[in-house]
Structure formats: structure tokens, C-alpha cells
Amino acid sequence: MLTGRTALLPRQLHPGAWWLWALGLVAAATRTLNPLLLLLILAAAAYVVTARRTDAPWARSFAVFFKLALVVLAVRFVAQVLLGVAAGETVLVTLPQLPLPDWAAGVAVGGAVTLESVVAAFTDGLQLATILACIGAANALANPKRLLAAVPAALYEVGVAVVVALSFAPSLVTSVQRIRAARRLRGRPDRGLRSLVSVALPVLEEALERSIALAASMDSRGYGRRAEVSAATRRLTGTSTLLGLLGIAVGIYGVLDATSPPVLGLPTLLAGLVLAGGGLVLGGRRAVRTRYRPDPWTAPEWITAGSGLAAAVLVIVGGVIAPEALAPSTHPLVVPPLPLLPTVGVLLALLPAWLTPPPELLVRDVRRERAVAATSTSTKVGT
Amino acid sequence: MSATSAAPPTSSSSPTDRPDRARSIAVRPRSAVALLLATAVGVAAFGWPLLADPGTGIAHLREAPLLFALLLPLVLAVVLAELSDDGIDAKAIAMLGVLTAVGAALRPLGTGIAGFEPVFFLLVLAGRVHGPGFGFVLGATTLFASALTTGGVGPWLPFQMLGAAWVGAGAGLLPRLRGRGELLLLAGYAAVAGLAYGVALNLSFWPFALGGETGLSFVAGDPVFDNLRRFLTFTLATSLGFDLPRAALTAALVLVTGRPLLRALRRAARRAAFDAPVEFSGDVRPGG
């Protein structure tokens, strides 16, 4: 496409690109209550996931998130029917009212259920469900281990701890299995609440034992090497971090408090964010990182992140041009229109399904087919 | 393992006045200020539906929870970077990693068995043994690792991480007691912390959970008292029935199994000798 064949060689896309793409779709979904657009966003996310997911365990999370989204939709629907304040005239059914004690004043259980309020609850729930599905798409597409490699350098130590945890988890499972097997061999119970402690304790002991061995091996391999950082830089890091946090804290409470001067609100918050981010960048100077196995950020990553951003921008612009198309009235009910600009935006978010390199799985299949074809022709030639 | 073999000559804390506690991640005054500020931001992020003035723009902003979900990761990152600015030595990293793995492995059990929250159980004990700094970081990493392994990264994650970090740090700040008193204290704390965590997370997704049209919903711009009453009714109606038995069970578990687990954690901490001053001298002393 843009950069020729090499750009589409099979590889896993930078996880950050998938997250930016999904966050763009989330931003688009938060700006609209139009059920047609929401369903379109949902469909776009689902299509890209089916086109570009691997068979890794995290790739299943789209289905999990989708089920969660359905649960959210159902909870909201039931809450609206049972506890909702009915709006509109089209009464579908009238439920018996449940008398409640005084402290629950304002809560009414039962009563009339109107089409208008049910539709409003449905679109509201659909919006949340769409947001959940988009996040599920990012979870399914982005490799969490490579995402961990992208944590800021200032979080190096904490990142190492999480990497240790992720790589240690499998041996924890074998440790549990071994200790339970040992208990079975001794004729002791190995399941149930009673054996919990007598299995858990040896597992924990062994884990702690391993941590000390691991620390020794990390020490002997030179963990903890740090770059030279001048005292001035360290002071600047600390000051910028603390001032940034102070700015964020003051800014948040300024935003929440109507009586405070406006300067203490959003401007302080933004200044705090910049300072805190700067502190994070400066703090990263002490970490020495390897250049081994870099995650490239090339044209497909730009396309993916850009298509998510385009969806968000076009939906927001569409909302400025025609606000009623993005939030169709539910009282009175109208048939939701399909506004041009936001629709194009959401369709742009489909681009990663074709313009990104396929994950390895697909190519392996192709190769296998080719190999099968090659052997069959060679046998033909041979005979 | 000799104390002189530990690599980074950074740990400045001398053997502390509390010999029964390891300070694997020391909280310096600067980090303490950062923690307090982050806590203030966190309180606002959790409690904005109750704190926001009806007159402000944010009280009416539909995206407010998502904006907080984007803000909190930055705050968490800054605080974690600040806590590790002096460098965390390899023993603390390894301990953190292993306990994170155990916590992340315990977490799915909690969803299977109603009324059991094993993560807090470990978090409270480890925070108690290793101090508030370690407890804070462990809370955040446990929930993060668990979300990574289960593909559960979402807007709720920063809230969960901060909540669990508070639980771990709080366990490290509990007053000094030994024996039966300590177990009772930890059990009580585990129950209260678990309940508070449940209510706080309820609060963080309450504006999302129900539509704007029911009698239990968050109403943007309503007086704080009305919203508070609706929130309490919502908590009562949805989760308190799960939260209370869960808190009781966690407390009982701490009472029953706390002693051997604390002993195991303390022994490992002693063997790692976090508080031993690191010196690079010619003579090698016998191990720590």
C-alpha cells in the first residue's frame, strides 16, 4: 500500500497503536446516543478483531467483554423497568407498585413502563456496551506483554516486578499441582477448605524461597545498573513531580468547586499534568534500557492510530454540525437518522482490518497450504 | 547470601526503630508527600459524584468518569516512579514480583467463590510485613498483572489499582502490636478495608451502572445529600449483600491462617535483609 510489500509482512502491530485506535472509537461512542451509529461502531470493532486477532489467550477477551456488555445492557433495562421514572405517553405495561419505607423516598418500584423510557434506557445501555466492546477489542488485539515493554522508563523497576510476576505465574501453577500430588500420595485430602492452608503455605514458602534465589541471580547479572544523573536533574525531577501532583490535586478540586476562582480549575490541572508528565520523562533518565527487540512504529501503526482518531474527530465534528442527529430524541420517539460525516468516520476505523500486517497465524496457514501444494506437485513430478 | 553482595548502594535507611518490619521500599518524605497528593486526587476521582458542586461544568459532564480513568493512570505512574526513584533493590523487586504473581493467581478464586476476597488477604499480610511503600506498590502491581493475564484492562483498572494500593499501604501503617492482638487488628482491618474498597468501587461506577432515569441513579447537579442517599440505597440494593459476608470471611481467614503466613513472610524478609546497610568494603562479613 503506502510503503510497499515489506510493510505488510506478517508481524504483530505495536500494542499502543491498537489502544489508540480503540480509544478513538471509545471517544466516538461517548459522543453519540444514536443507536445506528453505536451499532456501526460495535460492528467495526468486531470486524477488525475477527480480521486481525491471533490465537493467543488474550484474544478471547473480546467475547468476554461482549458478554459483559450484554449483561450491562440487561441490568440497565431491568433497572429502568423496575425502578425507572416513566417518561412519555406510550404505556407498554403497568406493573404493580411496591410500597417502600420512608428512607427510600424517591425510589419507586414498579409502575407504568413506557416505550419512550425503555428506548432511552436501551440507547444509554447500548452506548456503555459499545464502549466496553471497544475496550475488549483493544484487549484482544494488543499483546499485553509487549505493552509492558512500552511503560515509561521511570517505571522500570515496577515494570520488572510485573514481568517477574507474569513469568512466574506458570511455575506457581506447577508448584500447586506438585504439592497437591504429594498430599494425595500421603493419603491426605488435597482439596476443600481444610486443605487450603496446608497447600497454600508450602506454595507461598516456595515462592518466597524462589524470590530470594531470583534476586541473587538478578544481582549477579548486573540488575540495578543506573545511568549517571546529575544532582540538578534529580532535584528537577522531584520538584516537577511534586508540583505536578499538587497542580493536579488543586486543579481537580478547583474543577469540582463552583466557588473557587477559575484559575484554580482547568488551567492549574493542565499545568499539573504537564509538570507531572515532565517529571515522569526526567525520572526515566536514570533507567538504562536495552535496544533489543524494539517494537517498530511504522506506517501500519500510523494508519491504525490515525483511523481511530479520525473516527473520533469526525463524530465530534458531526455532533457540532448536527447535534440532533447524534442524540436523536426519544421523547417523542423519532427514527434515528444516519448522519454522513460520523458514518464515514466510523467506517474509516475499519481500515486496520486490511491495511495492517496480518498476525503470524494467517501467514502460517498460507505457508502450510503452499507446502502441501508443493509436496503434492513434487510427488506428481516424482511419479 | 551475604549482605555485602547486594548491588545498588542506594538504600539509605539504617536499621530502623521497628526491627520486626522490613522496609523493602522506603518511603522518603518526598514520596510521602507524593502519596498524600495522589490520595487527594484519588479521593476526588472516586468521590466526584458526591463532591462536585451542582453549579460546575463537570457535574453535568457525561464523560467525567472516563476522564478520571485517563487521569488516574498518570497519577499512579508518577507516584510509583517517585517511590522507586532511589532504585528498588533486586530482592525487593523479586519479592514484589513473586507476591504479585501469587495475588494475581488468587484473584480469579474470588469471582468463583462468592464471599471470598483472597487478594486482600495477601495484600494486608504483605503490607503489614513490608511496610506502606511496598504495600502500595504491591496493591497496584497485583491488580495490574491480574488484568493483563485475564485481558481485563479497562476504565475500572486505575480505580481498582488505586483502591488496592490504599489497602496495602494502610496495612503497613497499622500500629505496632504482636501476637493475638496483631491478628485481631489485621482481621478487623481486612474486613473494614474490603468493605471500603467495595463501596469505593461502587461509587466509581455508579454513574455508569444505571441509566439516568431510575430512582437510584446519580443525578448530575442534584444536592450532595440527595445523591448520597440514592448512592447508599444503590449500594444496599446491589452489593452489600455480597460485601458483608465477604468481609467477614476475609477476617476469619486472617484469624485462622494469619499466623503461619505472617511467619513465612517475616522469615523471607529477614533472610533478604532489606534493612542491612550495604557497604562495599574489602572484608566480607558472615551472611545476613
Side-chain angles (χ1 to χ4, degrees), chain B residues 105-117:
Chain B
L106 282 175
R107 186 134 177 265
L109 288 181
T111 49
I113 312 163
F116 179 43
E117 191 45 281

Side-chain angles (χ1 to χ4, degrees), chain A residues 30-31 65 76 85 105 127 135 139 157 197 201 205 209 211-212 223 226 234 241 252-253 256-258 286, chain B residues 1 40 44 53 62-63 66 71 78 85-88 93-94 97 151 153 155 208 213 229 257 261 267 271:
Chain A
T30 57
R31 300 304 304 182
F65 272 72
R76 286 207 164 203
V85 182
Q127 184 187 39
I135 293 165
N139 272 300
E157 285 93 350
V197 179
L201 199 61
E205 291 269 12
E209 199 72 25
S211 89
I212 293 174
Y223 164 82
R226 295 156 72 88
R234 296 199 58 183
T241 304
I252 289 271
Y253 285 98
L256 291 178
D257 182 16
R286 70 193 152 82
Chain B
M1 210 181 359
D53 262 356
R62 287 178 55 89
E63 292 90 355
L66 288 177
L71 176 73
V78 169
D85 192 40
D86 261 356
I88 307 178
I93 291 283
V153 182
F208 266 147
E213 304 286 317
R229 198 190 57 212
T257 66
L261 291 184
R267 184 162 57 234
R271 283 194 56 198

Side-chain angles (χ1 to χ4, degrees), chain A residues 19 23 26 30-31 33 58 61 65 68 72 75-76 79-80 83-85 87 103-108 120 124 127-128 131-132 135 139 144 147-148 151-152 154-155 157-158 160-162 164-166 168-169 172 193 196-197 200-201 204-205 207-212 214-216 218-219 223-224 226 234-235 237-239 241-242 245-246 248-249 252-259 269 273 276-277 280 283 286, chain B residues 1 5-8 10 28 30 33-34 37-38 40-41 43-44 48 51-53 55-58 62-63 66 68 70-71 74-82 84-91 93-102 105 116 122 137 141 144-145 147-156 207-216 229 233 236 253 256-257 260-261 264-265 267-268 271-272:
Chain A
W19 272 102
L23 286 179
V26 167
T30 57
R31 300 304 304 182
L33 278 172
W58 58 82
S61 47
F65 272 72
L68 186 65
V72 165
V75 165
R76 286 207 164 203
Q80 175 62 39
L83 303 166
V85 182
W103 51 262
V107 182
D124 231 35
Q127 184 187 39
L128 194 55
I131 292 173
L132 281 177
I135 293 165
N139 272 300
L147 189 67
L148 211 51
V151 296
L155 290 175
E157 285 93 350
V158 180
V160 170
V162 176
V164 167
L166 291 184
F168 180 70
L172 202 60
L193 210 62
L196 198 67
V197 179
L201 199 61
L204 185 69
E205 291 269 12
L208 295 172
E209 199 72 25
R210 272 170 186 250
S211 89
I212 293 174
L214 175 67
M218 279 164 79
D219 270 343
Y223 164 82
R226 295 156 72 88
R234 296 199 58 183
R235 264 200 305 278
T237 310
T239 319
T241 304
L242 286 192
L245 280 175
L246 186 69
I248 294 176
I252 289 271
Y253 285 98
V255 166
L256 291 178
D257 182 16
T259 55
L269 179 61
L273 285 176
L280 211 54
R286 70 193 152 82
Chain B
M1 210 181 359
S5 71
T10 46
R28 296 160 300 138
R30 210 176 85 185
V33 174
L37 287 172
V41 175
V43 167
W48 69 270
L51 293 171
D53 262 356
T56 54
I58 194 160
R62 287 178 55 89
E63 292 90 355
L66 288 177
F68 277 115
L70 288 177
L71 176 73
L74 179 74
V75 172
L76 271 173
V78 169
V79 173
L80 291 178
E82 173 59 42
S84 55
D85 192 40
D86 261 356
I88 307 178
D89 78 357
K91 289 174 292 188
I93 291 283
M95 188 72 72
L96 198 58
V98 162
L99 289 178
T100 300
V102 175
F116 179 43
L122 183 75
V137 181
T141 51
F144 186 65
L148 281 189
T149 47
T150 54
V153 182
W156 47 82
F208 266 147
L210 303 169
E213 304 286 317
T214 77
L216 303 182
R229 198 190 57 212
T233 326
L236 209 62
L253 218 70
V256 174
T257 66
L261 291 184
L265 287 168
R267 184 162 57 234
R271 283 194 56 198

Side-chain angles (χ1 to χ4, degrees), chain A residues 235-302:
Chain A
R235 264 200 305 278
L236 190 63
T237 310
T239 319
S240 155
T241 304
L242 286 192
L243 279 180
L245 280 175
L246 186 69
I248 294 176
V250 171
I252 289 271
Y253 285 98
V255 166
L256 291 178
D257 182 16
T259 55
S260 65
V263 177
L264 285 185
L266 213 51
T268 316
L269 179 61
L270 290 179
L273 285 176
V274 171
L275 278 175
L280 211 54
V281 172
L282 278 177
R285 289 215 185 149
R286 70 193 152 82
V288 189
R289 298 286 282 267
T290 175
R291 276 174 296 176
Y292 169 66
R293 247 176 98 192
D295 281 321
W297 187 285
T298 51
E301 277 83 4
W302 283 115

